[in-house]
């Protein structure tokens, strides 16, 4: 009996070398109820948000607004697909109680889910940092932004983010790290271990996520300070800018949501891998639920923080249609010589165009 058991363990794939079925557990947080509820809420919320964004995109005539909506839509689609792919696997496990080792002896299915978890986990953080860069340039260098950030470039930037996140998720397949079945047997994820390759991949995953959040925080802080300097100046009554305020409020809330939901899991993975201790099931599942909340809460930022809602919350606000570029003279006076030189270059270009037309 012992010999047959050891032979069975050797015949299983590498993804079952740490945890292998069958599992015995009674964790409420790992129940089918939690998985179904989280997946259902997330899918419906992202679907509603996508419809709202499509309508907003069809009505907008601002290039900067269009680019920002493209980034938001890509974030919604990414969250939706992440919940659809990973949630369907987890729910299928709870419904059918399939045995991973029998269904997937070569670990192809487990590797696919592990790659999906890493890809759809990093994409929202990377897209959040990308939107922070876009808004930083749009507020601090509006002429350069309006010239270079077209819809096609925004889509190309989103594609680059997806390729980068996908490349990181493929590293274990190439031999750097590994994906393993996780307790209670319903999902696969990176192997949190102090072994050199596994630890290196854990640190890559954690540091990329934490650096994305840090970059978002720094750039969003600078953008908000610049926006406040312009909006709260001596001519603030004629400089209410609904698009810039709306986009920055949305971006700040996206950053706060991502930080609260993802930081515990990212820090826990890095800390556990560096400490050499085995990951504990309950904390890992708890922080994973926190990260899943990000995919549920994100779309409500787009649904609730819109001009129509803001008008109802603040009916006395002056929601005019002025944009950053149209209000640029005030921004020049408050933002130093670099911005002035950029404005001069733009004026010269416009003068050259007029001369050519004449």
């Amino acid at each position: 009996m012992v010999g047959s058991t050891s032979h069975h363990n050797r015949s299983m794939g590498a993804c079952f070398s740490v945890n292998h079925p069958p599992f015995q557990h009674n964790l409420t947080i790992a129940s089918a109820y939690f998985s179904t509820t989280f997946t259902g809420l997330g899918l419906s919320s992202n679907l509603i948000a996508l419809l709202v964004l499509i309508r907003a995109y069809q009505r907008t005539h601002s290039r900067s607004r269009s680019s920002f909506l493209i980034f938001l839509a890509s974030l919604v689609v990414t969250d939706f697909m992440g919940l659809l792919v990973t949630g369907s696997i987890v729910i299928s496990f709870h419904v059918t109680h399939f045995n991973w080792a029998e269904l997937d002896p070569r670990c192809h299915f487990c590797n696919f889910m592990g790659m999906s978890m890493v890809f759809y986990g990093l994409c929202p953080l990377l897209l959040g940092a990308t939107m922070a860069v876009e808004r930083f340039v749009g507020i601090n260098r509006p002429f350069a932004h309006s010239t270079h950030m077209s819809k096609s470039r925004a889509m190309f930037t989103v594609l680059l983010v997806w390729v980068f996140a996908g490349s990181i998720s493929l590293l274990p397949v190439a031999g750097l790290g590994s994906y393993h079945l996780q307790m209670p047997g319903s999902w696969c994820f990176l192997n949190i271990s102090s072994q050199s390759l596994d630890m290196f991949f854990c640190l890559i995953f954690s540091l990329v996520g934490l650096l994305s959040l840090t970059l978002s925080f720094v750039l969003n802080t600078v953008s908000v300070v610049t926006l406040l300097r312009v909006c709260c100046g001596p001519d603030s009554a004629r400089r209410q800018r609904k698009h810039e305020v709306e986009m920055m409020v949305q971006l700040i809330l996206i950053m706060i949501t991502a930080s609260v939901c993802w930081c515990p899991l990212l820090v826990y993975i890095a800390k556990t891998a560096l400490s050499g201790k085995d990951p504990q099931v309950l904390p890992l599942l708890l922080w994973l639920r926190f990260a899943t909340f990000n995919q549920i809460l994100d779309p409500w930022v787009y649904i609730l923080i819109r001009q129509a809602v803001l008008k109802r919350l603040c009916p006395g606000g002056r929601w005019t249609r002025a944009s950053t570029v149209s209000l640029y003279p005030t921004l020049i006076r408050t933002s130093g010589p670099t911005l002035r030189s950029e404005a001069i270059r733009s004026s010269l270009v416009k003068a050259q165009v007029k001369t050519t037309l004449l």
Side-chain angles (χ1 to χ4, degrees):
M1 179 66 70
V2 175
S4 62
T5 303
S6 62
H7 174 74
H8 174 69
N9 291 337
R10 288 195 302 269
S11 65
M12 291 191 298
C15 59
F16 308 113
S17 59
V18 177
N19 302 309
H20 56 83
F23 298 101
Q24 298 294 331
H25 71 90
N26 55 356
L27 298 173
T28 304
I29 197 172
S31 66
Y33 171 77
F34 268 88
S35 301
T36 305
T37 302
F38 275 59
T39 303
L41 282 175
L43 291 177
S44 57
S45 300
N46 281 282
L47 188 59
I48 295 172
L50 185 59
L51 296 176
V52 170
L53 287 172
I54 291 174
R55 291 182 58 188
Y57 184 82
Q58 292 172 342
R59 290 195 303 264
T60 188
H61 301 288
S62 168
R63 175 177 290 186
S64 63
R65 178 66 177 165
S66 299
S67 300
F68 189 75
L69 289 176
I70 289 173
F71 287 120
L72 283 179
S74 65
L75 186 55
V76 170
V77 171
T78 303
D79 284 341
F80 181 87
M81 291 303 300
L83 286 168
L84 182 64
V85 172
T86 58
S88 59
I89 296 175
V90 174
I91 294 174
S92 298
F93 170 82
H94 287 297
V95 172
T96 63
H97 300 285
F98 61 80
N99 188 301
W100 277 88
E102 296 177 357
L103 178 69
D104 184 35
R106 296 184 179 274
C107 294
H108 298 314
F109 192 43
C110 186
N111 287 335
F112 170 75
M113 185 175 186
M115 288 187 293
S116 299
M117 294 285 290
V118 171
F119 174 79
Y120 291 114
L122 287 180
C123 274
L125 305 180
L126 293 170
L127 287 171
T130 303
M131 288 190 289
V133 173
E134 189 269 344
R135 280 294 80 211
F136 174 82
V137 176
I139 291 176
N140 294 275
R141 299 290 184 270
F143 282 129
H145 179 272
S146 62
T147 302
H148 299 292
M149 183 51 75
S150 61
K151 296 178 183 179
S152 59
R153 290 198 177 188
M155 294 179 183
F156 181 71
T157 303
V158 171
L159 182 62
L160 286 180
V161 170
W162 285 341
V163 170
F164 180 69
S167 300
I168 293 178
S169 69
L170 287 172
L171 289 178
V173 180
L176 182 60
S178 58
Y179 293 119
H180 281 247
L181 183 66
Q182 305 291 331
M183 292 285 288
S186 58
W187 60 299
C188 288
F189 194 46
L190 55 86
N191 186 32
I192 306 174
S193 169
S194 59
Q195 297 179 6
S196 56
L197 294 179
D198 287 328
M199 181 178 67
F200 190 57
F201 183 63
C202 288
L203 293 178
I204 290 177
F205 177 77
S206 297
L207 290 178
V208 169
L210 292 172
L211 288 176
S212 298
L213 293 172
T214 303
L215 181 63
S216 298
F217 176 80
V218 173
L219 295 183
N220 287 336
T221 301
V222 175
S223 298
V224 168
V225 170
T226 304
L227 200 58
L228 289 175
R229 288 173 62 185
V230 176
C231 292
C232 299
D235 301 323
S236 60
R238 68 177 179 85
R239 284 186 275 108
Q240 297 291 334
R241 299 180 294 174
K242 64 175 184 178
H243 288 320
E244 281 73 26
V245 172
E246 177 187 355
M247 287 187 285
M248 280 311 306
V249 171
Q250 288 176 341
L251 194 53
I252 292 297
L253 290 178
I254 290 171
M255 179 193 69
I256 294 174
T257 302
S259 300
V260 172
C261 293
W262 272 100
C263 277
L265 179 63
L266 296 173
V267 172
Y268 178 78
I269 290 174
K271 181 180 177 181
T272 304
L274 291 173
S275 68
K277 299 179 181 178
D278 293 331
Q280 300 298 312
V281 177
L282 187 58
L284 181 59
L285 289 174
L286 178 62
W287 301 141
L288 182 69
R289 292 299 186 202
F290 264 67
T292 308
F293 261 122
N294 184 57
Q295 297 171 307
I296 299 173
L297 297 176
D298 264 351
W300 288 104
V301 174
Y302 331 133
I303 295 170
L304 297 178
I305 308 302
R306 293 180 291 129
Q307 294 165 25
V309 179
L310 292 176
K311 285 180 181 178
R312 293 176 182 177
L313 294 178
C314 186
R318 294 172 59 90
W319 299 95
T320 64
R321 291 189 175 274
S323 66
T324 305
V325 176
S326 65
L327 301 169
Y328 203 50
T330 305
L331 190 59
I332 294 173
R333 293 197 299 270
T334 60
S335 299
T338 303
L339 223 50
R340 294 192 191 99
S341 62
E342 186 179 347
I344 293 172
R345 286 198 302 271
S346 178
S347 299
L348 291 174
V349 170
K350 292 179 179 179
Q352 290 175 356
V353 172
K354 291 181 179 178
T355 304
T356 304
L357 294 176
L358 292 174

